[in-house]
Amino acid sequence: MTKLAQWLWGLALLGCTWAALATGALGLELPSACREVLWPLPAYLLVSAGCYALGTVGYRVATFHDCEDAARELQSQIQEARADLARRGMRF
Amino acid sequence: MATGTDQVVGLGLVAISLIIFTYYTAWVILLPFIDSQHVVHKYFLPRAYAVAIPLAAGLLLLLFVGVFITYVMLKNQKVTKKAQ
C-alpha cells in the first residue's frame, strides 16, 4: 500500500470514529465536558500540527550551521564568473 | 550556529508557535473542565470561535496561495507572449 493510501486510511478511520462519537450514533452517554472537548478536536489537531511545523522550521532556522568562509568564497567565485562571462559577451 | 537576524527570526517563530499552541490547548482542552464561574473564562472568547477562527485563517491562506499562483501564471503567460 502506498504512503498516501496509508495516510488516507488513517484519516478516514479517525474521522469516522470522531463523527460516530460526536453525533452520539453509538448511543454512549458521554459527560458534557468530554463532549465539549470532543467536537473541536479535528480543528485542534490541525492547529497543533501547524504549530509544530512552524516551531520546527523556526528552530532549524535558528540552529542552522552557517559557514561564513565558504559563503564569502562562493560569492567571490560568482563575481569572477560574472565578470568572465560578461567579457565574453553574455548579457545578464 | 546561525547568526544575527536568522537566529532572531527562528526563535521568534518558535515563540509564536508555543504561544499559539498553549493558548489554543487551554481554550479547547482545559476550559470545559473548569467551573464556568471561574475568572479565567474572562480571558477566552466563546468556544464557537475556537473552530471559526482557524477555519477562517485556513481559507484566507488558501485564497492567498491561489491569488499568488494566478499572478505568477499570468506573468509567465505575458512573458511568453512577448517573446513570441
Side-chain angles (χ1 to χ4, degrees):
Chain A
M1 197 189 271
T2 65
K3 269 296 173 191
L4 177 66
Q6 278 177 355
W7 273 92
L8 288 177
W9 253 116
L11 281 177
L13 237 60
L14 286 173
C16 288
T17 327
W18 173 79
L21 284 173
T23 59
L26 290 176
L28 292 163
E29 282 303 323
L30 293 169
S32 99
C34 283
R35 296 197 72 101
E36 280 274 319
V37 170
L38 187 66
W39 76 262
L41 214 51
Y44 175 74
L45 291 174
L46 268 173
V47 169
S48 29
C51 283
Y52 170 73
L54 194 69
T56 314
V57 165
Y59 179 69
R60 300 236 175 110
V61 164
T63 56
F64 192 75
H65 293 299
D66 272 346
C67 315
E68 299 262 314
D69 300 330
R72 260 180 281 132
E73 191 181 333
L74 187 63
Q75 290 288 15
S76 69
Q77 283 180 347
I78 291 174
Q79 301 290 17
E80 261 184 64
R82 285 181 80 108
D84 190 42
L85 287 170
R87 214 171 6 98
R88 293 166 199 264
M90 180 168 155
R91 260 183 304 117
F92 288 99
Chain B
M1 284 288 286
T3 53
T5 45
D6 280 352
Q7 242 178 348
V8 172
V9 169
L11 293 175
L13 282 180
V14 172
I16 290 177
S17 78
L18 278 176
I19 290 175
I20 293 181
F21 180 69
T22 18
Y23 185 82
Y24 200 65
T25 307
W27 200 4
V28 173
I29 309 270
L30 297 180
L31 237 44
F33 294 103
I34 298 180
D35 180 44
S36 62
Q37 301 306 321
H38 199 284
V39 72
V40 78
H41 282 269
K42 187 168 57 123
Y43 294 103
F44 294 94
L45 293 168
R47 285 183 59 105
Y49 287 104
V51 177
I53 293 181
L55 196 67
L59 287 176
L60 262 170
L61 190 72
L62 276 178
L63 182 74
F64 178 70
V65 168
V67 163
F68 180 73
I69 292 179
T70 317
Y71 170 70
V72 168
M73 280 176 60
L74 285 177
K75 201 160 69 143
N76 246 4
Q77 250 183 13
K78 234 190 290 179
V79 167
T80 344
K81 235 191 282 187
K82 215 163 76 161
Q84 274 174 358

